[in-house]
Amino acid sequence: MRIDLHTHSNASDGTDDPAQLVRVAAEAGLDVVALTDHDTTAGWAEAEQARPKGLRLVRGAELSCVCPDGHGNSISVHLLAYLFDPDHPSVLVEQSRLRVERRERLVKMVTRMSEDGYPVDPETFLDRLPADLPAGRPHLARALVEEGVVSSVNEAFVKLLNNGSRYYIPRADTPVEQAIAMITDAGGVCVFAHPFARRRGRVVAPSVVADLAAIGLVGVEMDHPDHEPADRELIRGLAAELGLLATGSSDYHGTNKTTPIGAETTDPEVFDRLVAKATAVPVLGC
Ligand code: AMP
Ligand code: ZN
Ligand code: FE
Ligand code: FE
């Protein structure tokens, strides 16, 4: 039984479309795959349609949240949300707030660039983006490539859109406490994604995991490509102490990252306990 609980399609920043992703999962010999695109459930329907017989599909998302870091500051974290009702009112309200916030923030970035003479127009920039899309820097990067300002999306990030740039404005993400309450209300379960991925930057203090466990977090990602062996052991201990489920997953992004699908997996017993806590949306293929 091979279970990968964290993958991205091109509904966010992966390269496989959701139909390809479920085929790739089956070809890699997975029995269960979770589709967890960043801040969207837009890939669910296509993955459902294309799901090969014999592959079980967990519908989920990876939510960008702001969280206390346990040292008196705040930090951006990722929360894996599984098997929640995407039409629950608290989910819909927060999604529309985020969409508006993201669009306003992009317009502010575009305004600053336009004032400095870049060929982007704050009046019309949003017109080209579908209203239901979580708009972000990748869209601005593509516009800069189209205008010939830079030759690639990556160059746009490196030169103009990285978080040290004068054009960068942070997003107003969901507070993690609110995200856990919202997903729990919507019948789903939350797992803290790669909490100690130190190679990506600062991470939370271990006490934060305990604080989140106390307000409804059910699991913590342990086996993840960005976790060092010592941190996996730290998480194993924390999970045992706090009664959290310790999962494993590849964080597959197609060709945008080198990790193959199924490179890290979740124990079947842990998976069964996770599913037993969800009440809204079934695992498909059971
Ligand atoms: P935003 O949500 O608007 O802050 O944009 C964040 C997204 O930008 C992330 O999901 C990444 O996929 C993407 N991103 C960040 N750095 C790069 C890069 N160097 N090249 C391409 N995409 C990037
Ligand atoms: Zn990603
Ligand atoms: Fe993540
Ligand atoms: Fe991810």
Side-chain angles (χ1 to χ4, degrees):
M1 189 74 165
R2 298 186 64 235
I3 302 163
D4 188 342
L5 291 182
H6 184 168
T7 71
H8 297 269
S9 76
N10 67 1
S12 62
D13 61 348
T15 54
D16 294 350
D17 61 42
Q20 281 171 306
L21 187 137
V22 288
R23 271 184 245 121
V24 166
E27 281 161 17
L30 289 176
D31 301 285
V32 180
V33 72
L35 178 65
T36 54
D37 277 305
H38 294 284
D39 304 308
T40 182
T41 59
W44 285 16
E46 188 185 322
E48 276 171 56
Q49 290 284 322
R51 181 182 63 81
K53 271 203 173 56
L55 177 73
R56 294 193 233 165
L57 175 65
V58 175
R59 288 162 291 177
E62 184 175 21
L63 308 180
S64 308
C65 299
V66 283
C67 181
D69 70 355
H71 304 290
N73 294 306
S74 73
I75 190 170
S76 165
V77 300
H78 288 168
L79 199 64
L80 290 162
Y82 299 114
L83 301 169
F84 59 95
D85 172 7
D87 298 321
H88 190 278
S90 59
V91 174
L92 292 179
V93 166
E94 179 60 4
Q95 270 193 335
S96 69
R97 184 192 73 84
L98 288 171
R99 273 196 293 266
V100 171
E101 287 270 358
R102 281 170 168 274
R103 291 170 84 85
E104 289 173 356
R105 168 241 195 180
L106 266 192
V107 168
K108 285 184 197 152
M109 291 180 67
V110 168
T111 301
R112 284 189 191 175
M113 296 191 78
S114 151
E115 284 165 3
D116 277 3
Y118 287 99
V120 282
D121 180 0
E123 300 288 321
T124 59
F125 182 78
L126 291 179
D127 298 348
R128 63 167 87 194
L129 302 181
D132 61 345
L133 191 88
R137 285 179 289 163
H139 304 101
L140 178 50
R142 267 174 243 139
L144 293 168
V145 173
E146 277 168 35
E147 290 298 330
V149 175
V150 286
S151 58
S152 69
V153 165
N154 186 54
E155 189 185 342
F157 271 91
V158 172
K159 290 196 174 155
L160 297 163
L161 304 179
N162 65 80
N163 62 10
S165 157
R166 67 182 246 89
Y167 303 114
Y168 176 75
I169 293 173
R171 290 188 318 242
D173 288 336
T174 311
V176 70
E177 309 81 2
Q178 181 187 339
I180 291 173
M182 166 182 97
I183 293 301
T184 308
D185 273 358
V189 291
C190 292
V191 170
F192 196 156
H194 48 73
F196 299 132
R198 299 178 200 278
R199 67 185 68 165
R200 299 181 179 203
R202 291 191 301 126
V203 302
V204 297
S207 62
V208 173
V209 179
D211 295 343
L212 299 183
I215 58 168
L217 184 77
V218 309
V220 59
E221 209 173 36
M222 172 176 66
D223 291 321
H224 181 280
D226 291 345
H227 279 162
E228 301 296 338
D231 286 320
R232 297 180 188 213
E233 286 315 306
L234 172 63
I235 291 168
R236 190 187 302 284
L238 267 177
E241 185 187 319
L242 299 168
L244 292 171
L245 300 169
T247 66
S249 35
S250 67
D251 205 351
Y252 173 73
H253 279 71
T255 58
N256 277 346
K257 287 191 182 172
T258 54
T259 312
I261 200 163
E264 313 261 9
T265 56
T266 293
D267 181 277
E269 195 192 318
V270 167
F271 175 65
D272 288 343
R273 289 166 61 196
L274 187 76
V275 171
K277 289 176 190 286
T279 56
V281 164
V283 176
L284 294 178
C286 278

